[in-house]
């Protein structure tokens, strides 16, 4: 078994302290298959409470903590931003970078995203780098070109070797929050493209990078998606706000 599976909850701007409590209690007894990491990424005001609960209840083996964003700057006059050092103090291990909502609503470019990945890695955080095409781009058969254009600036900035410490999440924009999941065949085909694209730079690294699928994953479709040879888990939005459903998704993942 060479590749771990990861199931990450992206709460986006949802959730509250009560959800932190019920999620921690729920995940305390989740049954996981071999080689699976569960990551919970709440909004930043809840990171501290999540971190405290995971520590007190000695659940750090079961639950890893993730942030939804990080600044590309180390510190300074950047009102509203959060630094890697702040995340580290809260025992955060993962950080979602380049989510399509950040790319489109906050105009984060692939170059800025590459800087963020670099900053996160330098601080020892594992980036969950999100990439994905829009509905129009897929319709125009530009998916591969778009994904390559999102990945290349990151490869150029950090070098392919550093992808040993990166997780990639493929999230087709048209499948996010819409209930329209990519079919497992379509998701597998795209994941295979991403792995092959990375393999052009380094085959060994490409074979080991966990590739997560995101976009309307739920308790009913997770098993089929996770059974695909290049899908190593998921980045879960809406369904991660429901503890029982999220637990089912976590239990379906398996390292490959
Ligand atoms: P949904 O699971 O709600 O479609 O969201 C996916 C996503 O954007 C996770 O980052």
């Amino acid at each position: 078994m060479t590749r771990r599976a990861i199931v990450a909850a992206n709460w986006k701007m949802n959730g509250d302290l009560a959800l932190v409590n019920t999620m921690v209690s729920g995940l305390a007894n989740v049954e996981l298959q071999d080689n699976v990491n569960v990551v919970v990424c709440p909004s930043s005001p809840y990171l501290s409470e999540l971190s405290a609960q995971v520590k007190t209840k000695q659940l750090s083996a079961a639950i890893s903590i993730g942030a939804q964003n990080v600044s590309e700057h180390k510190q300074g006059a950047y009102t509203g931003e959060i630094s890697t050092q702040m995340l580290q103090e809260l025992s955060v291990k993962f950080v979602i970078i380049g989510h399509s909502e950040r790319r489109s609503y906050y105009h984060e470019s692939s170059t800025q995203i590459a800087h963020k990945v670099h900053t996160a890695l330098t601080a020892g955080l594992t980036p969950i780098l999100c990439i994905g095409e829009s509905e129009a781009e897929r319709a125009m058969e530009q998916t591969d070109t778009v994904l390559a254009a999102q990945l290349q600036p990151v490869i150029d900035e950090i070098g392919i070797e550093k992808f040993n410490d990166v997780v990639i999440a493929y999230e087709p924009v048209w499948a996010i929050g819409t209930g329209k999941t990519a079919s497992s065949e379509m998701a597998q085909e795209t994941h295979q493209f991403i792995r092959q694209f990375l393999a052009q730079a380094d085959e060994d690294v490409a074979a080991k990078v966990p590739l997560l699928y995101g976009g309307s994953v739920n308790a009913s479709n997770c098993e089929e998606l996770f059974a695909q040879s290049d899908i190593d888990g998921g980045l879960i939005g809406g369904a991660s706000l429901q503890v029982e459903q999220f637990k089912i998704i976590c239990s379906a993942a398996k390292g490959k």
Side-chain angles (χ1 to χ4, degrees), residues 118-225:
H118 193 171
T119 307
L121 284 170
T122 306
L125 295 168
T126 301
I128 301 177
L129 169 65
C130 300
I131 57 174
E133 82 289 359
S134 68
E135 191 156 31
E137 287 161 347
R138 180 161 284 269
M140 290 187 291
E141 299 185 356
Q142 289 173 349
T143 301
D144 294 358
T145 320
V146 169
L147 298 178
Q150 291 172 342
L151 283 170
Q152 194 60 51
V154 185
I155 299 174
D156 292 344
E157 168 133 2
I158 66 172
I160 191 68
E161 283 289 309
K162 289 267 168 49
F163 274 76
N164 279 318
D165 301 315
V166 172
V167 174
I168 295 177
Y170 166 60
E171 299 203 308
V173 176
W174 46 271
I176 294 177
T178 58
K180 283 196 226 170
T181 325
S183 68
S184 46
E185 294 79 23
M186 188 195 282
Q188 164 57 25
E189 193 180 285
T190 312
H191 279 229
Q192 195 175 22
F193 165 77
I194 295 166
R195 209 178 290 289
Q196 282 167 355
F197 182 77
L198 296 172
Q200 290 169 13
D202 190 311
E203 277 184 28
D204 291 343
V205 172
K208 290 195 190 120
V209 177
L211 296 184
L212 317 186
Y213 170 79
S216 299
V217 177
N218 58 39
S220 316
N221 60 24
C222 58
E223 204 154 335
E224 195 182 327
L225 284 161

Side-chain angles (χ1 to χ4, degrees), residues 10-243:
N10 177 9
W11 288 3
K12 309 190 179 182
M13 201 171 71
N14 298 298
D16 49 20
L17 283 175
L19 185 60
V20 172
N21 292 331
T22 52
M23 186 59 80
V24 171
S25 316
L27 290 177
N29 60 12
V30 66
E31 291 197 10
L32 299 177
Q33 302 189 54
D34 293 339
N35 212 4
V36 179
N37 280 167
V38 173
V39 184
V40 178
C41 310
S43 290
S44 50
Y46 302 123
L47 285 169
S48 179
E49 178 63 22
L50 177 62
S51 173
Q53 290 204 22
V54 166
K55 197 168 175 190
T56 327
K57 296 182 181 163
Q58 301 187 325
L59 290 171
S60 46
I63 306 174
S64 300
I65 302 168
Q68 295 178 15
N69 188 20
V70 71
S71 172
E72 67 271 39
H73 304 290
K74 278 194 79 174
Q75 61 183 53
Y78 300 102
T79 302
E81 292 293 298
I82 299 171
S83 73
T84 51
Q85 194 188 346
M86 294 165 190
L87 296 180
Q88 281 171 310
E89 263 200 302
L90 298 175
S91 307
V92 170
K93 299 278 184 275
F94 291 81
V95 57
I96 298 171
I97 296 179
H99 193 281
S100 63
E101 288 148 17
R102 303 273 344 152
R103 290 179 193 260
S104 68
Y105 304 147
Y106 303 98
H107 312 294
E108 288 189 9
S109 66
S110 290
T111 311
Q112 184 184 10
I113 288 160
H115 293 333
K116 289 187 177 205
V117 169
H118 193 171
T119 307
L121 284 170
T122 306
L125 295 168
T126 301
I128 301 177
L129 169 65
C130 300
I131 57 174
E133 82 289 359
S134 68
E135 191 156 31
E137 287 161 347
R138 180 161 284 269
M140 290 187 291
E141 299 185 356
Q142 289 173 349
T143 301
D144 294 358
T145 320
V146 169
L147 298 178
Q150 291 172 342
L151 283 170
Q152 194 60 51
V154 185
I155 299 174
D156 292 344
E157 168 133 2
I158 66 172
I160 191 68
E161 283 289 309
K162 289 267 168 49
F163 274 76
N164 279 318
D165 301 315
V166 172
V167 174
I168 295 177
Y170 166 60
E171 299 203 308
V173 176
W174 46 271
I176 294 177
T178 58
K180 283 196 226 170
T181 325
S183 68
S184 46
E185 294 79 23
M186 188 195 282
Q188 164 57 25
E189 193 180 285
T190 312
H191 279 229
Q192 195 175 22
F193 165 77
I194 295 166
R195 209 178 290 289
Q196 282 167 355
F197 182 77
L198 296 172
Q200 290 169 13
D202 190 311
E203 277 184 28
D204 291 343
V205 172
K208 290 195 190 120
V209 177
L211 296 184
L212 317 186
Y213 170 79
S216 299
V217 177
N218 58 39
S220 316
N221 60 24
C222 58
E223 204 154 335
E224 195 182 327
L225 284 161
F226 296 170
Q228 305 304 311
S229 57
D230 284 297
I231 300 185
D232 306 308
L235 182 56
I236 321 298
S240 74
L241 301 169
Q242 296 166 36
V243 178

